[in-house]
Amino acid sequence: MVKSVIGTPMVPCLFIFGDSLFDVGNNNNLTTKAKVNYPPYGIDFPGGVPTGRFSNGKIIPDYLAEILGFDHLIPPYTNATGEIILQGVNYASGSAGILTETGKHLGGNMDFDKQIENHKQTVVDMFKYLDFDNMKVTKQINKCIYAIGIGNNDYLNNYYLPDYYNSSKNYNLSQFADILIEKYSEHIKNLVRNGARKIAIFGLGNIGCVPFVLGRHLEDAIGNDWTGCIEKMNEGSAILNNKLVDLIKNLNQTLRYTKFVYVNSSGMSAGDPSAAGFTNFNAGCCKPRDDGQCMENEKTCPDRKKYVFWDSFHPTEISNQMSAGIIFNNSVPEITFPYDIHTLATVPS
């Protein structure tokens, strides 16, 4: 794995947007069921403490920060103060979606709109640490990597929950994806207008393969052609991912000073988990609550490195570490398009 020397990062800053897969603690003080600041979450994080990460340890943004050479993990927006913001901020929020209403049945979250607002405030705050010089701020931001992974909840915690949301009643899957893409595109262009020049877009994962979905839709899996996933639940995310690829191709052609990379998140989970040393890939390592999160203070599986999933939705630390390595070097063909995160970091801005 190509890796920068710790303390001399390949890029000056890393900004993270997304949902629970990228959340590092922004939900801790919100009134919501979608927060995990309790054990056994964080059992393998340095110090063995729950931080608000939806895993037993580090998550993909943490490993990307390490690989890029940062000497610290990128802090959550809620805790990011002082000059550390010059090196990046994480705005991701558990249960958040592209649409404002997504996930709100669980309580509060920082939806994509709010995350963009928070980033604008960060840019304002950067001025006082860069001599109130607009040119210095612009040059700093131009060289940063923006990583965005959002949209899973617009299906899991919106479209596929007709008891709470009307999306599936009002739109078919293609129409719903068009709505999501239109808003996604607006936010990306907003970031570009404010100086973003290196943007990595993470596609949606295979929603129909997570343990929570498997446990509730196994009746749909009956048949000789079952792949180990609920394919009808993957349909929506596949449609959106295809539209994201088209969007990125278009943006790379039309925004000549901005570089976009697409990360095929569903592709990372499409291979044979046993080949990577996993022995359990359809159940979480911890005992789940009814909502799929870990029961508080309960014992976990004995060997967490053998499990793909930590709880009923989110990957284990080892899964996150492997994924980060793959997307940084594109060590698995066709996972990143048109090139990998290492190339995005080193291409001139």
Side-chain angles (χ1 to χ4, degrees):
M1 178 186 299
V2 178
K3 186 172 182 179
S4 174
V5 178
I6 293 295
T8 57
M10 294 180 182
V11 292
C13 41
L14 175 61
F15 292 111
I16 309 291
F17 304 79
D19 52 30
S20 57
L21 294 173
F22 285 3
D23 188 355
V24 294
N26 281 310
N27 276 22
N28 286 352
N29 295 320
L30 296 181
T31 302
T32 177
K33 294 179 181 179
K35 60 181 176 181
V36 291
N37 54 343
Y38 61 87
Y41 288 96
I43 189 173
D44 295 308
F45 194 80
V49 296
T51 60
R53 288 167 171 81
F54 288 71
S55 186
N56 57 306
K58 295 176 183 175
I59 58 176
I60 288 177
D62 298 324
Y63 284 112
L64 285 180
E66 289 184 358
I67 297 169
L68 287 167
F70 289 93
D71 59 7
H72 65 279
L73 302 181
I74 305 302
Y77 175 77
T78 51
N79 293 347
T81 58
E83 292 190 39
I84 197 170
I85 66 172
L86 295 176
Q87 292 185 287
V89 176
N90 185 316
Y91 307 95
S93 174
S95 81
I98 299 168
L99 301 180
T100 304
E101 65 269 22
T102 290
K104 292 298 196 295
H105 69 287
L106 296 170
N109 64 39
M110 299 178 189
D111 54 73
F112 207 3
D113 284 326
K114 182 62 176 176
Q115 292 180 37
I116 297 295
E117 287 180 23
N118 289 342
H119 178 59
K120 289 180 179 179
Q121 183 59 52
T122 297
V123 173
V124 171
D125 293 339
M126 290 172 71
F127 275 84
K128 61 185 176 183
Y129 300 112
L130 292 173
D131 305 321
F132 295 94
D133 188 324
N134 185 66
M135 185 62 69
K136 285 184 178 180
V137 174
T138 300
K139 285 184 176 180
Q140 178 87 354
I141 292 174
N142 284 172
K143 297 176 181 178
C144 301
I145 285 182
Y146 284 68
I148 308 173
I150 199 164
N152 293 290
N153 286 313
D154 292 290
Y155 292 92
L156 283 170
N157 285 307
N158 188 325
Y159 194 86
Y160 293 135
L161 290 181
D163 290 343
Y164 293 95
Y165 304 94
N166 292 323
S167 302
S168 61
K169 302 169 187 175
N170 295 333
Y171 310 104
N172 62 36
L173 285 171
S174 182
Q175 292 169 334
F176 188 63
D178 285 337
I179 292 170
L180 297 179
I181 281 291
E182 182 178 1
K183 188 158 189 178
Y184 210 141
S185 178
E186 290 174 3
H187 284 320
I188 291 172
K189 292 175 181 178
N190 192 328
L191 291 174
V192 171
R193 284 193 295 269
N194 283 278
R197 293 294 180 268
K198 299 182 177 187
I199 303 176
I201 306 292
F202 287 68
L204 277 60
N206 288 316
I207 292 171
C209 304
V210 301
F212 185 85
V213 172
L214 291 176
R216 280 157 177 74
H217 296 272
L218 275 179
E219 69 277 5
D220 299 319
I222 297 174
N224 295 326
D225 59 347
W226 186 44
T227 63
C229 301
I230 310 302
E231 293 305 327
K232 75 171 187 177
M233 297 292 285
N234 286 336
E235 186 179 356
S237 53
I239 292 172
L240 182 63
N241 284 341
N242 288 334
K243 292 180 184 293
L244 275 174
V245 171
D246 290 340
L247 174 64
I248 288 171
K249 287 179 179 178
N250 177 264
L251 291 173
N252 272 329
Q253 292 174 352
T254 57
L255 301 177
R256 41 184 306 213
Y257 297 110
T258 305
K259 309 298 181 185
F260 292 88
V261 165
Y262 174 74
V263 178
N264 180 8
S265 300
S266 62
M268 286 191 291
S269 59
D272 179 10
S274 61
F278 296 111
T279 59
N280 193 308
F281 41 85
N282 55 18
C285 173
C286 69
K287 294 181 180 179
R289 306 186 315 203
D290 289 342
D291 61 5
Q293 292 180 192
C294 297
M295 290 185 179
E296 189 168 355
N297 292 314
E298 287 287 335
K299 290 183 179 181
T300 69
C301 61
D303 191 348
R304 295 181 283 276
K305 292 186 177 180
K306 297 294 185 181
Y307 279 67
V308 172
F309 290 97
W310 165 243
D311 58 18
S312 295
F313 288 105
H314 307 96
T316 52
E317 179 180 63
I318 188 66
S319 296
N320 288 321
Q321 184 179 29
M322 289 182 178
S323 295
I326 289 170
I327 65 177
F328 190 76
N329 287 325
N330 200 15
S331 55
V332 175
E334 300 181 355
I335 293 300
T336 59
F337 167 87
Y339 39 71
D340 54 30
I341 302 297
H342 174 245
T343 303
L344 182 65
T346 55
V347 68
S349 57

